[in-house]
Amino acid sequence: MDWGEIWNTIKNFFTENVWNIVAFFAALIIGLIVIKLLLNLMRKLLGKTRMEKVSQKFLYNIIKFCLYLILILILLSLLGVSMTGVLAAVSAAVLAIGLALQNNIANLANGIIIVTSKMFKKGDYIIVDGVEGSVEEINFLFTTIMTSDNKKITIPNSTIINSSVINSGANATRRIDLTFSVAYESDVEKVKKIVVDVMKSDGRVLLEPEPFCRLKTLGANSIDFFANCWVDGEDYWDVYYYIMETVYNEFKKNKISIPYNQIEVRNRTDKVVLPYDKEPLQKRVEKVRVEKKHRINLEKDSLTELFKHKKKNKKKGKDKEEKLLKEDEILKAGQAPIETKESAEGIVETKPEQKKRKKKNAN
């Protein structure tokens, strides 16, 4: 095919589809205008709602994508393209993209959960997966946190969903928990008064609930006091450092000692006695071990003896039965019973008269 034939093909296409081409461009222009108007209207409506900014942005992008997709399908139908083939190709592309981006899809789903459940919002101070800082941005794939030392950390939403999240900025007020250790000789009531007075001296500390300080622990080297007070969330760290520094200064001013670990060293003068057993170690005696083959023979011999013993007992039982049968026959015949006794040679019969005669001779 030469250039002439290509040109004729293009010319025939535009000639035969001139109205379709006009409709295509008209639909394109009108569609773009309509989409722009709808998106502006949607932006204004979302701005009047109480929905989070990230939720508004996500919904806006979804609507924008759907509108442009509908416009593209309409334009393709005007050009005579079969919608069945287009939908099949789009389905295959969506499936391939879903398999390739399954982790991102999981992050997207978890991002929707974070936003809709309102776990935290921009500006909250959170602790998650060992990272703590202020939430700078929430999107549907990642959450960005700014730490106190100005480090920007991005955490996947799946990690946040699968971890415990501590949101310190969820409420307007926060409680400051403090522990102070002093020496045992310190006045307990005086220490409590100093700590409470320092907390009340700062106007950022709320008086309701009232600042609190009590003796908590009797430690090995000190007595420990637990104290707390409530402040607005944004004043937390400023008030915390003010109380720590001021309490330390007041302790020194009032001669209250702050202890530290101490080691007591003593010089022993007594004689150390270490009792012990004077007997020497026992002599080694080798264990008698039977070889495996010999052990098997012994087991066979023991089994043989067992069978012989059973056979002998069985024979004795049979002889006793025969004896009882003979006595029954004698009693039935009216004769004196014949007594028997066992000997090494076997069973020996003995008549009663012979037994009596032997007894008289013995006397």
Side-chain angles (χ1 to χ4, degrees):
M1 181 180 292
D2 55 7
W3 287 106
E5 293 179 355
I6 296 174
W7 173 252
N8 290 330
T9 303
I10 297 174
K11 184 178 178 181
N12 292 333
F13 173 80
F14 281 98
T15 302
E16 296 173 358
N17 299 284
V18 60
W19 294 112
N20 289 337
I21 295 173
V22 172
F24 173 84
F25 284 103
L28 176 61
I29 296 171
I30 296 172
L32 292 175
I33 295 172
V34 171
I35 289 174
K36 187 174 182 179
L37 293 175
L38 289 176
L39 291 177
N40 290 333
L41 178 62
M42 183 61 61
R43 187 183 293 108
K44 291 179 180 179
L45 292 176
L46 291 175
K48 294 179 180 180
T49 63
R50 296 182 180 179
M51 192 180 299
E52 296 290 338
K53 294 295 182 182
V54 63
S55 301
Q56 295 179 17
K57 185 178 180 181
F58 177 74
L59 184 60
Y60 176 82
N61 290 331
I62 292 294
I63 295 173
K64 182 179 180 180
F65 174 79
C66 293
L67 290 175
Y68 278 109
L69 179 62
I70 293 172
L71 177 61
I72 292 172
L73 294 177
I74 292 173
L75 295 176
L76 291 175
S77 64
L78 291 175
L79 292 176
V81 179
S82 175
M83 289 294 100
T84 304
V86 172
L87 293 176
V90 170
S91 301
V94 169
L95 180 60
I97 293 171
L99 292 175
L101 303 176
Q102 52 184 345
N103 291 332
N104 290 330
I105 293 174
N107 287 328
L108 176 62
N110 291 322
I112 295 173
I113 294 173
I114 291 173
V115 172
T116 55
S117 63
K118 298 181 179 180
M119 295 176 61
F120 47 80
K121 61 182 182 299
K122 184 177 180 180
D124 286 350
Y125 191 90
I126 66 171
I127 303 173
V128 55
D129 197 30
V131 178
E132 60 179 290
S134 299
V135 178
E136 184 177 275
E137 183 182 358
I138 307 172
N139 57 44
F140 285 92
L141 294 178
F142 306 97
T143 297
T144 304
I145 295 176
M146 187 67 69
T147 62
S148 57
D149 56 350
N150 209 29
K151 292 180 181 177
K152 189 175 182 180
I153 300 177
T154 302
I155 304 177
N157 289 332
S158 296
T159 302
I160 296 176
I161 288 294
N162 296 323
S163 303
S164 299
V165 180
I166 301 174
N167 188 357
S168 302
N171 300 312
T173 58
R174 292 182 62 184
R175 192 180 75 177
I176 301 176
D177 295 329
L178 302 161
T179 301
F180 301 101
S181 300
V182 299
Y184 268 91
E185 60 270 16
S186 303
D187 186 347
V188 173
E189 294 301 325
K190 189 175 183 179
V191 171
K192 290 163 55 178
K193 185 177 184 306
I194 290 173
V195 174
V196 172
D197 288 345
V198 169
M199 289 190 291
K200 288 183 176 180
S201 67
D202 193 328
R204 295 168 294 186
V205 176
L206 301 177
L207 298 180
E208 185 63 34
E210 189 177 357
F212 171 89
C213 181
R214 287 292 176 87
L215 177 61
K216 180 182 179 182
T217 308
L218 302 178
N221 302 309
S222 64
I223 54 176
D224 303 327
F225 289 81
F226 174 74
N228 63 52
C229 61
W230 290 85
V231 297
D232 293 333
E234 63 269 16
D235 298 328
Y236 181 89
W237 290 112
D238 293 335
V239 176
Y240 177 89
Y241 293 128
Y242 167 79
I243 294 174
M244 291 296 292
E245 294 170 357
T246 309
V247 166
Y248 176 68
N249 185 67
E250 291 297 311
F251 280 173
K252 290 195 299 182
K253 186 188 300 183
N254 290 274
K255 308 298 183 184
I256 295 176
S257 175
I258 299 175
Y260 47 87
N261 291 335
Q262 303 178 27
I263 300 175
E264 183 176 350
V265 181
R266 295 184 180 182
N267 185 19
R268 296 191 61 171
T269 58
D270 58 325
K271 186 178 180 180
V272 180
V273 179
L274 300 175
Y276 62 93
D277 188 358
K278 297 181 180 180
E279 294 295 328
L281 292 173
Q282 65 178 6
K283 294 183 179 180
R284 177 182 174 84
V285 179
E286 291 289 343
K287 177 182 176 181
V288 179
R289 292 176 173 81
V290 182
E291 295 183 1
K292 188 174 180 181
K293 293 183 179 179
H294 185 48
R295 191 182 302 116
I296 294 173
N297 292 333
L298 289 177
E299 292 176 356
K300 290 182 178 179
D301 293 341
S302 61
L303 291 173
T304 304
E305 293 295 331
L306 179 62
F307 288 133
K308 287 183 179 179
H309 181 68
K310 287 184 177 180
K311 188 175 182 182
K312 185 176 181 181
N313 291 339
K314 187 175 180 181
K315 185 177 180 183
K316 287 183 179 180
K318 189 175 181 181
D319 293 340
K320 287 181 181 180
E321 290 178 0
E322 292 178 355
K323 174 187 173 183
L324 293 174
L325 289 173
K326 286 182 181 180
E327 288 181 354
D328 291 340
E329 290 176 357
I330 291 170
L331 290 173
K332 288 178 182 179
Q335 300 177 1
I338 300 174
E339 295 182 359
T340 60
K341 65 177 182 179
E342 295 183 1
S343 63
E345 292 79 14
I347 298 175
V348 180
E349 296 182 358
T350 305
K351 292 183 178 181
E353 291 79 4
Q354 294 176 352
K355 188 174 182 182
K356 289 179 181 180
R357 192 182 300 113
K358 290 182 180 179
K359 190 173 182 182
K360 288 179 179 181
N361 293 334
N363 294 332

